């Protein structure tokens, strides 16, 4: 699972063979640290009605970034912009600005959204394994990339399940349906599925909100473990969770990014009044 | 429920919680609505139970009656006679295949000449069709000319009309001359057009050189509408004749063998014929004895109801005359028992003779068709030998008074290979011809409908833009609203003819069963039923796809799967049991369909001949639903035939029940996902 730096670079090149040179303003330094670079972005589900306004933020490599904010403020929306899941909604789109991932504008015409999603994995709020075996769930991403060799799959499945802390629990029943697991196990299976293709970034949209406290704790632990390997963006409703797992936190309110800072700073000493009110539970 | 707010102190549970609204006998409106819907649901169940009950009651009574019929069949010795009949039939199969081989060989020798003659005839017919109008005109003019000429001859010399009529006659003649010229040009032009040369059949052996000759011959015959044939055709005919004669001479040994094969079975045929006559009489006596009590009772009942004493006495006398003495079965069957030794005398030489003749059949033939038929003939010989062997055991040991087992009453229905009714010999009620017919048609229909419907459902549900969905879905669902009798008409008038024409296209002749002789076939019915099943399978599949939670697709997309990958790897597998249910219910729809199969399947009650391979679908057949619709109106209520139709209905009912049950199991699994 150890991926050396040079290998990472190679994969970046796979993602953006030509655009890298085209996008010269992004310095080499930038591409190292800024994994996601949101530049003055506005977004609307229907034209003319923006639900996100003028968002500018950076997400750094190897960090866990938490999005917090009251319900409906646009956290999920921004998250889904990163892997262009909003493309599935016909009228939705970015009305302004640019999102660069690993230095490339993800809306550039030469970017293939399918390739993008292979590098930007996602874990949803409602855990949702496919009605297939545990093994096939994890192998899914590899199979659709045309990797069918038994050895390669076996290895990737085991590694991913180990990573997701699920291996010991399921290794004897890899061929049982993924739907037979408990809720927390299913969510970890979904995480294993997402990381099996070794994405650069893992987006998590309230991954614990449907789980019991014990499963939540397990997943939080898992997130801290994953940070060494993946850049993680997590949306959460739970302030403690943000405080526990994230390096940096962004606070949204009514479609605006109010404040983004190191989590410790943010929670101990927020610079904006709204942030302070929200964190201290005065609204939301 | 809107209530006037009550102040806290005047609040009383008794008033606040009281039931409100209209009530009769303690039943409120809510209850009435509930009972209404509950009643409808239970009515459906009650109806199903009633249908089961009546179908069951009428159908189950088939078996005792069938059992009795089989008893009479044995008592009359018909069973015994049919053993021999089977042997003769098997022999006939053997003979006719060999005979076909012989004629294939003979006809092949003059095939080229015959093809040329046929082509010339076809072209001639085409040319005549194309130039029909001018021909008719010319003929009319000639008629008129003849009439006018007669008139001139009939008129008195010096009559003032003569010059006038003469004038008309002249005009006609010149018109005729002109018409002749144009007609000749037309015939020549027609000969150039491809229409004239579309002869439909095979143009084998009509080389380019011959085309010129054929054209000449056609022109010769078409143009002055000659009574005699063109020498070229006459030549061809003569050549064909001599070639056939030559081949026949060469194959004289073959022909002799065939004749000998046929005459070898003559003694058995004669014996069988005699016995058959005898058994028919036996059966008449038995039937008459069995129905005697009823007839007598009917006459007596008639006598009761008549007032006129003379009439009463007459009916009474008739009733007394009804014979109810039991027939002497032993005496009646004596000739059959006597025939056992005769059979042995006939059968042994037949066996030896046939063995010799089988060897005498030519081992090498020149044409493919002859070879095929000789092979068929040899395999038919195998079954002939089988029947002979069986007969050597069962004919001597046959007993008219052995009771028929009950199992036989069931098995003769379920596995019986013949459905023969209104026969003067014996009625056979075997399900297999109808069951295979129904199943064959259903299989064809499913093979066609399933891929089409599922593909359409996938397209509409997963791939098509919304606008297209809104057009395609109702269009496909509309198919379900077409009355099946209309489709049946379409099958007879359009599809049947179309299929036959397509099957005659030469470069398709490699397709098994092509060219097809019939219009009303398994294939035709299967295609129409496929069309009828499409809405069912499509709608249910589409529902199943629609019910796959969108989260599965979303997850798949988020994994970087393309739309097609998502459809085939996630959505379809998730909906699989829903798809199975859709196919099963489509099958239920097909197997129960009546009108189309009645009109289009050809209604020939015979197990299809599977030796043709896939070509079997070009044969006509009959179905379980079709036979009920066709025969139920014509049979007497309560008769064995009537009950047989009921039991066929029950089989259909059971199939429908099983299919539905399986579909529901599949759906249950689907809903667990
Ligand atoms: N598919 C959609 N179509 C239209 N509007 C949407 C859709 N999804 C979310 N919205 C709207 O966008 C805004 C932001 O929603 P969301 O990003 O889900 O908020 P959060 O995740 O922060 O609770 C809300 O006002 C919501 O109503
Ligand atoms: Mg959300």
């Amino acid at each position: 699972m150890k991926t050396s730096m040079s290998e990472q670079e190679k994969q970046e090149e796979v993602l953006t063979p030509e655009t890298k040179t085209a996008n010269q303003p992004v310095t080499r330094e930038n591409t190292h640290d800024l994994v996601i670079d949101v530049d003055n972005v506005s977004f609307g589900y229907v034209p003319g009605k923006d639900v996100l306004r003028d968002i500018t933020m950076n997400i750094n490599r190897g960090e866990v970034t938490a999005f917090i904010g009251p319900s409906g403020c646009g956290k999920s929306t921004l998250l889904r912009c990163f892997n262009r899941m909003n493309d599935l909604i016909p009228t939705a789109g970015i009305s302004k600005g640019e999102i660069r991932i690993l230095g490339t504008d993800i809306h550039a015409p030469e970017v293939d959204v399918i390739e993008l999603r292979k590098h930007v994995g996602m874990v949803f709020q409602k855990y949702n394994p496919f009605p297939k075996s545990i093994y096939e769930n994890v192998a899914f991403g590899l199979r659709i990339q045309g990797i069918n060799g038994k050895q390669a799959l076996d290895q990737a499945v085991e590694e991913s399940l180990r990573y997701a802390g699920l291996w010991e629990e399921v290794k004897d029943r890899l061929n049982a349906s993924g739907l037979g697991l408990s809720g927390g196990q299913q969510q970890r299976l979904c995480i294993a599925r997402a990381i099996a293709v070794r994405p650069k970034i893992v987006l998590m949209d309230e991954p614990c909100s449907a789980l019991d406290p014990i499963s939540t704790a397990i997943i939080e632990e898992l997130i801290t473990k994953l940070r060494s390997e993946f850049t993680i963006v997590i949306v959460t409703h739970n302030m403690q969770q943000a405080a526990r797992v994230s390096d940096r936190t962004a606070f949204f309110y009514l479609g605006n990014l109010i404040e983004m800072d190191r989590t410790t700073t943010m929670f101990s000493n927020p610079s904006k009044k709204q942030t302070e009110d929200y964190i201290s539970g005065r609204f939301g | 429920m809107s209530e006037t707010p009550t102040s806290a102190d005047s609040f009383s549970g008794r008033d606040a919680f009281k039931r409100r609204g209209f009530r009769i006998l303690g039943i409120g409106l809510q209850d009435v609505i509930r009972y209404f819907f509950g009643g409808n649901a239970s009515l459906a169940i009650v109806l199903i139970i009633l249908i089961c009950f009546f179908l069951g009651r009428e159908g189950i009574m088939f078996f005792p009656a069938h059992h009795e019929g089989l008893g009479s069949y044995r008592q009359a010795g018909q069973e015994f006679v049919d053993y021999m009949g089977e042997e003769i039939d098997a022999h006939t199969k053997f003979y006719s295949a060999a005979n076909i081989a012989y004629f294939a060989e003979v006809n092949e020798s003059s095939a080229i000449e015959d093809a040329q003659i046929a082509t010339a005839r076809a072209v001639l017919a085409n040319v005549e069709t194309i130039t029909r109008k001018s021909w008719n005109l010319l003929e009319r003019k000639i008629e008129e000319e003849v009439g006018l000429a007669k008139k001139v001859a009939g008129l008195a010399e010096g009559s003032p009309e003569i010059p006038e009529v003469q004038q008309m006659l002249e005009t006609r003649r010149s018109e005729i001359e002109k018409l002749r010229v144009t007609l000749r040009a037309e015939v020549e032009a027609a000969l150039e057009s491809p229409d004239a040369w579309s002869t439909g059949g095979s143009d084998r052996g009509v080389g380019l050189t011959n085309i010129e000759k054929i054209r000449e011959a056609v022109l010769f015959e078409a143009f002055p509408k000659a009574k005699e044939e063109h020498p070229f055709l006459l030549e061809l005919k003569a050549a064909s004749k001599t070639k056939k004669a030559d081949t026949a001479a060469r194959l004289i040994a073959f022909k002799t063998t065939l004749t000998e094969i046929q005459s070898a079975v003559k003694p058995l045929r004669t014996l069988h014929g005699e016995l058959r006559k005898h058994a028919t009489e036996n059966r008449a006596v038995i039937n008459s004895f069995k129905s005697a009590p009823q007839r007598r009772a009917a006459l007596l009942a008639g006598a009761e109801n008549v007032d006129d004493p003379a009439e009463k006495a007459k009916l009474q006398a008739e009733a007394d005359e009804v014979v109810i003495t039991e027939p002497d079965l032993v005496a009646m069957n004596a000739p059959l028992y006597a025939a056992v030794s005769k059979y042995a005398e006939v059968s042994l030489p037949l066996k030896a003779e046939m063995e010799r003749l089988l060897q005498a059949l030519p081992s090498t033939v020149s044409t493919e068709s002859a070879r095929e038929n000789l092979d068929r003939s040899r395999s038919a010989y195998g079954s002939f030998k089988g029947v002979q062997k069986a007969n050597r055991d069962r004919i001597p040991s046959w007993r008219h008074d052995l009771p028929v087992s009950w199992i036989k009453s069931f098995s003769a229905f379920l596995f019986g290979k013949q459905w023969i009714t209104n026969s003067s010999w014996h009625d056979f009620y075997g399900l297999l011809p109808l069951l295979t017919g129904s199943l064959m048609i259903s299989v064809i229909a499913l093979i066609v409908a399933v891929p089409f419907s599922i593909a359409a459902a996938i397209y509409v549900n997963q791939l098509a833009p919304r606008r297209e969905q809104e057009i395609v879905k109702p269009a496909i669902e509309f198919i379900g609203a077409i009355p099946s009798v209309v489709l049946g008409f379409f099958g007879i008038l359009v599809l049947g003819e179309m299929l036959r024409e397509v099957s005659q296209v030469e470069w398709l002749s490699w397709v098994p069963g092509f060219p097809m002789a019939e219009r009303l076939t398994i294939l035709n019915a299967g295609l129409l039923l496929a069309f009828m099943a499409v809405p069912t399978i499509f709608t249910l599949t589409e529902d199943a796809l629609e019910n796959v939670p969108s989260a599965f697709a979303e997850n798949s997309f988020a994994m970087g799967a393309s739309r097609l990958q998502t459809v085939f790897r996630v959505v379809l597998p998730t909906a699989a049991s829903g798809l199975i249910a859709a196919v099963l219910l489509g099958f239920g729809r097909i197997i129960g369909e009546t009108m189309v199969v009645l009109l289009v399947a050809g209604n020939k009650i015979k197990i299809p001949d599977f030796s043709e391979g896939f070509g079997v679908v070009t044969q006509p057949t009959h179905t379980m639903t079709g036979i009920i619709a066709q025969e139920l109106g014509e049979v007497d209520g309560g008769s064995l035939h009537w009950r047989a139709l009921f039991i066929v209905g029950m089989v259909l009912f059971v199939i429908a029940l099983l299919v539905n049950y399986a579909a529901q199991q599949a759906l249950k699994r689907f809903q667990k996902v």
Side-chain angles (χ1 to χ4, degrees), chain B residues 112-173:
Chain B
I112 293 176
E113 286 78 8
D114 292 343
Q116 288 178 6
I117 295 170
T119 307
R121 286 271 156 265
V123 174
L124 185 60
N126 287 339
V127 167
E128 281 184 354
T129 316
I130 296 170
T131 58
R132 164 90 15 93
K133 243 177 153 174
S134 305
W135 270 117
N136 289 348
L137 191 61
L138 178 61
E139 267 157 19
R140 211 171 58 234
K141 295 285 178 202
I142 291 174
E143 247 169 56
E144 283 174 12
E145 188 230 46
V146 172
L148 289 169
K150 260 191 201 154
K151 207 169 176 185
V152 170
L155 284 169
E157 194 70 43
S159 157
E161 280 180 33
I162 280 193
E164 213 177 291
V165 179
Q166 199 81 47
Q167 179 66 39
M168 278 163 74
L169 194 56
E170 290 304 315
T171 337
R172 286 293 171 279
R173 283 189 178 144

Side-chain angles (χ1 to χ4, degrees), chain B residues 1 40 62 86 154 257 390 409 411 439 479 494 583:
Chain B
M1 244 192 268
N40 284 354
F62 166 79
E86 254 178 69
T257 309
S409 171
S411 65
L439 290 182
I479 297 173
V494 184
V583 172

Side-chain angles (χ1 to χ4, degrees), chain A residues 223-243:
Chain A
I223 290 169
T224 22
K225 206 170 83 187
L226 289 174
R227 74 144 53 85
S228 62
E229 206 64 46
F230 305 94
T231 302
I232 294 173
V233 185
I234 176 171
V235 170
T236 174
H237 247 101
N238 182 329
M239 236 63 64
Q240 283 75 36
Q241 187 171 68

Side-chain angles (χ1 to χ4, degrees), chain A residues 80 114 117 128 132 144 193, chain B residues 551-552 554-555 565 569:
Chain A
R80 295 163 69 92
I114 285 173
R117 287 181 191 149
N128 217 320
K132 297 172 183 282
I144 60 175
R193 184 176 68 185
Chain B
F552 286 136
E554 198 174 40
N555 274 264
Q565 283 174 327
R569 289 175 189 248

Side-chain angles (χ1 to χ4, degrees), chain B residues 218-240:
Chain B
V218 168
L219 204 55
F220 174 82
E221 291 191 19
F223 187 59
K225 265 219 157 166
K227 291 283 173 279
E228 80 261 39
E229 286 182 282
H230 188 266
F232 172 60
L233 291 183
L234 287 175
E235 236 170 70
L236 280 177
K237 274 189 177 171
S240 159

Side-chain angles (χ1 to χ4, degrees), chain B residues 96-97 100 371-381 611:
Chain B
S96 60
I100 291 173
R371 211 176 349 265
E372 269 170 23
N373 279 292
L374 271 185
D375 286 347
R376 265 182 49 207
S377 160
R378 289 208 179 85
S379 74
Y381 184 79
S611 68

Side-chain angles (χ1 to χ4, degrees), chain B residues 21-97:
Chain B
F22 133 97
R23 300 179 66 77
I24 305 168
L25 296 172
I27 301 172
L29 185 60
Q30 299 294 324
D31 298 324
V32 170
I33 292 171
R34 222 191 67 203
Y35 291 142
F36 175 73
F37 286 111
N40 284 354
S42 39
L43 189 67
I45 292 171
V46 168
L47 273 178
I48 288 179
I49 291 174
L50 280 180
I51 290 172
C52 287
F53 176 72
F54 283 112
L55 216 54
R57 196 186 62 178
E58 298 302 326
I60 286 299
M61 291 306 290
F62 166 79
F63 290 108
H66 189 216
H67 186 245
E68 191 172 338
L70 290 173
S72 305
Y73 178 65
R74 176 166 290 175
Q75 286 172 347
Q78 290 172 305
E79 186 179 38
F80 179 85
V81 176
D82 273 348
Y83 290 159
M84 289 183 200
E86 254 178 69
E87 190 171 331
I88 294 171
D89 287 347
H91 177 275
T92 308
K93 273 213 183 96
F94 164 65
Y95 168 76
S96 60

